[in-house]
Amino acid sequence: MADQTPLRVALIGTAFMGAAHSQAWRTAPRFFDLPREPEMALLVGRSADTTAAQATKLGWQEWSTDWREAVSRDDIDVIDICTPGDTHVEIALAALAAGKHVLCEKPLANSVAEAVAMADAAEQAAQSGVLSMCGFSYRRTPALALARRFIAEGRLGAIRHVRADYLQDWLSDPAAPLSWRLDKAKAGSGALGDIGAHSIDTAQWLTGESITEVSATLRTFVTERPQRGAAAGLGGVADPDAARGPVTVDDAMAFTATFSGGALGVFEATRMATGRRNANRIEINGESGSIAFDFERMNELEYFDGRGTDPEAEGFRRIVVTDPVHPYVANWWPTGHGLGYEHLFTHQMVDFVTAIGAGTAPSPGFGEALDVQRVLAAVEASAKARSQTTPVERRTA
Amino acid sequence: MADQTPLRVALIGTAFMGAAHSQAWRTAPRFFDLPREPEMALLVGRSADTTAAQATKLGWQEWSTDWREAVSRDDIDVIDICTPGDTHVEIALAALAAGKHVLCEKPLANSVAEAVAMADAAEQAAQSGVLSMCGFSYRRTPALALARRFIAEGRLGAIRHVRADYLQDWLSDPAAPLSWRLDKAKAGSGALGDIGAHSIDTAQWLTGESITEVSATLRTFVTERPQRGAAAGLGGVADPDAARGPVTVDDAMAFTATFSGGALGVFEATRMATGRRNANRIEINGESGSIAFDFERMNELEYFDGRGTDPEAEGFRRIVVTDPVHPYVANWWPTGHGLGYEHLFTHQMVDFVTAIGAGTAPSPGFGEALDVQRVLAAVEASAKARSQTTPVERRTA
Amino acid sequence: MADQTPLRVALIGTAFMGAAHSQAWRTAPRFFDLPREPEMALLVGRSADTTAAQATKLGWQEWSTDWREAVSRDDIDVIDICTPGDTHVEIALAALAAGKHVLCEKPLANSVAEAVAMADAAEQAAQSGVLSMCGFSYRRTPALALARRFIAEGRLGAIRHVRADYLQDWLSDPAAPLSWRLDKAKAGSGALGDIGAHSIDTAQWLTGESITEVSATLRTFVTERPQRGAAAGLGGVADPDAARGPVTVDDAMAFTATFSGGALGVFEATRMATGRRNANRIEINGESGSIAFDFERMNELEYFDGRGTDPEAEGFRRIVVTDPVHPYVANWWPTGHGLGYEHLFTHQMVDFVTAIGAGTAPSPGFGEALDVQRVLAAVEASAKARSQTTPVERRTA
Amino acid sequence: MADQTPLRVALIGTAFMGAAHSQAWRTAPRFFDLPREPEMALLVGRSADTTAAQATKLGWQEWSTDWREAVSRDDIDVIDICTPGDTHVEIALAALAAGKHVLCEKPLANSVAEAVAMADAAEQAAQSGVLSMCGFSYRRTPALALARRFIAEGRLGAIRHVRADYLQDWLSDPAAPLSWRLDKAKAGSGALGDIGAHSIDTAQWLTGESITEVSATLRTFVTERPQRGAAAGLGGVADPDAARGPVTVDDAMAFTATFSGGALGVFEATRMATGRRNANRIEINGESGSIAFDFERMNELEYFDGRGTDPEAEGFRRIVVTDPVHPYVANWWPTGHGLGYEHLFTHQMVDFVTAIGAGTAPSPGFGEALDVQRVLAAVEASAKARSQTTPVERRTA
């Protein structure tokens, strides 16, 4: 008989991602039938003041400044990790060891070594029914889930081109402040891991193919920035009197790639594409069709059917992905009443809790996230080697 | 000293609108600072089974099948009316008389007479601090709130054209079932009151002008439909064995209008525009600028600055209305991470509760909603009189 | 045996339309196989200096300031009328009487009476093989010709909605000068006849249905303007020292309409839609599909297939109408290499000369153009009668 | 005193490009004031039958099957080379030696060595007033010329990103035939030289910067194709009974690049992007602004002004580049009446003849075209060297 006790969650992280996950935990059971009801049990942050205030604001029962408390408590079932990348491995390993299900934000870790440790631990934990997932939330966009369905159905035929550019502009201004996202020790990398990782995961997931080799470039346009004053948006507000510090990550990255099925990939990620707010774009061309997507229009999928059945009516269709026939949509509003960014996280919680209920591995597991990490590593290696084509290491079978 | 006790809400209605309001009541205090904390106290529906299930699902503390209970209980502060239009007047009058703040879905009523009674009662209740608002939720779209700001700032100059078409297609199929929305006794009218009312309110609110006269047409393309089997989407699913019943409302309406400032309005609303899912579109042209909006891309506003400062760079701008400088947005996600349909209701609750906290009249009050009702009445009168230009009755000063 | 002698053309009018027709006469035989080779024989204008200069510039063999010369010369086969509307009837009647084929710019005339005279004369001339056509050039847009094909094939099913707005902005500025287009004596009407006539013809032609009644409004926002100094663009440049004169035509018009098949039409035309340069837009919704078009993107047609064969992939397709399978396109460039405004006129000449070669009636003949004129007259009558629904007079069978 | 004799042109090549150039020579003097009137004197092709027919069709006074005749005749002023790339060098050198002005289609040659010879010859010929230009026609698109103006004015600030993808799909189908464009001996390369060369030239011209190094990949997805039967479109129609032959050029290419000013470039070109007909797209992001362009909407430029003067109204503007204030446009139609593909060539002739009249060097001269050729060579070299970053050789100062 299925376990129907509440699923008590501890969330580690109180900033942007923490808020997004909180809203998702709160909302998921109101619109979807979940095998277990999530309870927002414990919020963990570094500062007592901030954490207490956020726990009230975001609706958590208790709060703590010690993540080890969350891991060690018997009444916690899930550890949800929304901290900077340098802390993922320690928390995740402890949580898995303690038998907690783990949801960990992306990128999985700041190095392949850490990611391997996490994937190994996750694989072992899974033996005893302890499950883990990495937060590549864009997979939960209905339009992208529909694209994946189309590709899996063979509508596009053999895939030839993947063209993914993730464009933001919150660092265009050289006066934008340093934040932890610009510190390699904390963030691991810049645009590469923060947003490029999303494109890599999305591309591999959509096509069902792996990136086998890359030729890459990293670029830092602004090498020094003022220290951050207050928190605001992705990067905060600069303190005008503060000293300047070095930017130790990439502002932008670009690479070409080969996929396991032979497709040619072109990837780009930047936080300096003036005017592009969150243009997470991907286009895939196959022998008999194409899809195109831009997160700035997240409720739409462009689809071209080139199978030749109606030649004079061929054209990219703008599918408004808000119909009950579309992934995730039936549980929401009537057709045409779109979703927003936060609903990606709601869907993520639905998929995670559903997997926990069924006792099956959620996707992407840490192994899949490690695959992304290996691409990130190959990108960095290629960029250091004058863009020479560099193979992506793969797990041995 | 301000009243900081919780604001206990009773919601009447368990269907689409009830779900939207529930999510809004739940979410508003998590992202906005409200003067009083809403409590989801009581859900009222007609069927005990449905209401009990929905109360659990949507997160209400108690449930009832008698709206009079909600009105008479001392521990309820707000009555939120999400029922079909024929019931609005009775519930609202009782609630106001009982000293409850009232939020009432649009259109305010099914006739001008009812709306007058409601506006009068609201005006009287306001004397003793009892407040009321009508749910023209599209006003809470950040892009439209930005458009209103632009117009109020004089960017567009004198307004010459208002072009509003609200296009849906869930009745395109003649086999789509009868629902209460197609029954004049319940709904008052069809596309006119259901979606056209939104366009009318939006147009008057954006321009700050009133519609003074109209020349109108109503059309019913499919005059009989099968009875509804199950609830689903806006109209439900037809029961194939059921008898057919008459459609007693309009499928589509169109009218031209004159605004108090001289602008020419062209309005259209239909539920049979095949392929348009929820295209609530409005374009306004002024002497020195224009705005255009389509709810299918709710996070965008098109704006044309024709003030002549940069002639070779003139063009409609696609403003991605997701920046902290934009209305409502600072409380949400980083720039470029858009909102969805449900957030209109969240904003509505924020504005309503803020007004209650401040003891000021929320907008649109029942008087403004009556203004819309009078336009609806003029449209119906003109349509009956071979589209002859028909003045819109106005409140005497 | 077919007449293969050159087809000698006299063009009356040296301004914008004259230039467009000249380029079309020159280009048509270079890309299409025509039964007779057009010869640009004679250009006729009012001023000797201008006409002589334009004849050289535009490539005409001879020039004249007397249109009667063109009509009376034996070596002229075609009279192409590009003058203001007040002169059409006299020239056309004389030309037909002289046995010349006639191509006449739209609107056909400045009144129904004139148009009737022209249609009657054309019908009589046709008996002896003298052919005539009216210049509703937008019919020659490949995207619209494709739309017509789709509708004729029944893809859209029964037509329910026609939504046509033709938006320009060259009169937005109150300082824009008076030109002949603002003088009722010359132009007949304003936006109504100049651009609204295009929408009316396009709508009737696309649907294959007639407008049977209208409810209309005309509006003049700027009632006085400075006299024109120099020619430039559509309206010329104002002479700042000149006196102001009255605008005697409409700046904008709007009407609702009923089509012979029951569809509801909404039409609008204005020259004061700030930011819309030449947005000749039309959308048609049928029971099972829709098309949408905007001349600002003239190489594209949006098409929605609602016939239910692929529900999750439904969406408006952006057809890039540049493929050899599309109307007119095979004679031009490779797929994706679009056409421009002038090619409408090239296609018009192709269709006209092809009809002359075949001895068959070109379309739209003067009778069809008279149908448009009758709609214009009904619009004006309704506008005068407080928008009362006004039937469109029809030819008796 | 300026030479005002006619400018007699010989055109070599009778296919797609020959037709485009013919129409441009014919049209240019009708809309622009040229210092000398072009005369379409001589058409040269390989087959007598085809050439004779095309001369008549396209409007040339005489025809020949020997390009040496064109070069050696005294009554020819301009040699216009529209043949496959393997023949450019021989014809151009002979023409320059004979004192003819030369317009040569792109890419300039099939190798750097040939291009160097041509650039050297052009430089020497220029000493005696013999001028030459390479046909990078996309520079003549009004929208792109406007983009260049914006960048030159400093609106975008320092350029950081260039993102150019030129996407076609006429080879998506593996059954599409072999044509000379797929034969390395004739075409030099595939997508790289045919369309990628356009992107390279456009990017360098728009930014005013040079590509200094590249990391590149070439890909051939379909390695064998059936022989061509008949000519049609870009590639012709396959002969189903014919033998298959090898494709010896690239189907697609991609490279990252560094510009002389530090910008990061990402380039892609393919003829297998199913559904993209002629999507010659480029986006450039600078510190304070961006532009974006897609040739499928050639009359539009997207422009983002990020200079901070109106933060809440920031957004990409869709400039309809059809106004007299825009480059090339004043000589054409009223605002909003767009141009087509062929007008690029008209503008090219205008610029070329204007330069000849003024005795100044037209741009791009063969030296600039050699710069593009050197990038093509670096791309090929990098692709052979496992994408290793490869410097672009530059002319010594």
Side-chain angles (χ1 to χ4, degrees), chain D residues 3 39 43 65 83 98 102 116 134 176 204 238 253 290 299 302-303 335 352 355 391 393:
Chain D
D3 179 359
E39 274 187 25
L43 180 70
T65 56
T83 50
V102 176
V116 166
C134 186
Q204 297 192 131
M253 70 87 181
S290 294
N299 290 297
E302 287 188 82
Y303 165 55
T335 303
F352 186 48
E393 202 187 337

Side-chain angles (χ1 to χ4, degrees), chain B residues 25-147:
Chain B
W25 285 116
R26 177 168 32 252
T27 300
R30 299 302 170 194
F31 290 86
F32 291 82
D33 288 320
L34 301 182
R36 293 174 66 186
E37 174 93 3
E39 275 188 25
M40 299 172 67
L42 181 64
L43 180 69
V44 181
R46 276 174 305 178
S47 137
D49 286 357
T50 302
T51 309
Q54 284 293 82
T56 301
K57 186 79 192 165
L58 300 175
W60 293 86
Q61 296 168 2
E62 298 177 68
W63 63 270
S64 166
T65 56
D66 180 8
W67 65 262
R68 289 173 204 279
E69 180 195 334
V71 168
S72 59
R73 273 170 60 162
D74 283 345
D75 66 340
I76 297 294
D77 301 301
V78 168
I79 302 291
D80 182 359
I81 307 173
C82 293
T83 51
D86 61 327
T87 63
H88 289 183
V89 62
E90 188 179 13
I91 302 173
L93 292 187
L96 289 169
K100 312 301 190 199
H101 306 300
V102 177
L103 173 62
C104 181
E105 260 307 318
K106 45 55 56 186
L108 188 62
N110 278 4
S111 72
V112 168
E114 291 172 355
V116 166
M118 291 170 77
D120 286 350
E123 201 175 329
Q124 197 173 340
Q127 314 272 331
S128 38
V130 175
L131 301 175
S132 45
M133 192 166 91
C134 185
F136 284 110
S137 51
Y138 286 99
R139 292 191 180 197
R140 320 299 170 182
T141 314
L144 286 174
L146 183 65

Side-chain angles (χ1 to χ4, degrees), chain D residues 138-139 141-149 202 205-206 282 293 301:
Chain D
Y138 286 99
R139 292 190 180 198
T141 312
L144 286 174
L146 183 65
R148 178 172 149 90
R149 189 187 288 176
T202 300
W205 168 72
L206 283 177
I282 189 163
F293 174 80
L301 179 69

Side-chain angles (χ1 to χ4, degrees), chain D residues 369-387:
Chain D
L370 168 58
D371 286 347
V372 174
Q373 202 76 37
R374 290 192 198 275
V375 178
L376 300 180
V379 165
E380 292 191 307
S382 173
K384 273 184 202 141
R386 292 188 61 71
S387 304

Side-chain angles (χ1 to χ4, degrees), chain A residues 10 37 55 61 77 88 103 110 113 127 138 140 159 176 184-185 188 205 272 302 307-308 312-313 345 355 359 369 391:
Chain A
E37 174 94 3
Q61 295 169 0
D77 301 301
H88 289 183
L103 174 61
N110 278 4
Q127 315 273 332
Y138 286 99
R140 320 297 171 183
I159 303 302
K184 189 171 176 62
W205 168 71
M272 299 181 99
E302 288 187 81
R307 291 172 296 180
E312 68 187 356
F345 295 90

Side-chain angles (χ1 to χ4, degrees), chain B residues 146 149-150 153 155 303 307 310-320 325-326, chain D residues 146 149-150 153 155 303 307 310-320 325-326:
Chain B
L146 183 65
R149 188 187 288 175
F150 282 179
E153 289 170 355
R155 287 173 183 251
Y303 165 55
R307 292 173 296 182
D310 194 3
E312 66 186 357
E314 281 185 354
F316 274 87
R317 302 169 193 198
R318 173 186 167 250
I319 305 175
V320 180
V325 301
H326 295 138
Chain D
L146 183 65
R149 189 187 288 176
F150 282 180
E153 289 170 356
R155 286 174 183 251
Y303 165 55
R307 291 172 297 181
D310 194 2
E312 67 187 357
E314 281 185 354
F316 274 87
R317 304 170 191 198
R318 172 186 167 250
I319 304 175
V320 181
V325 301
H326 295 138

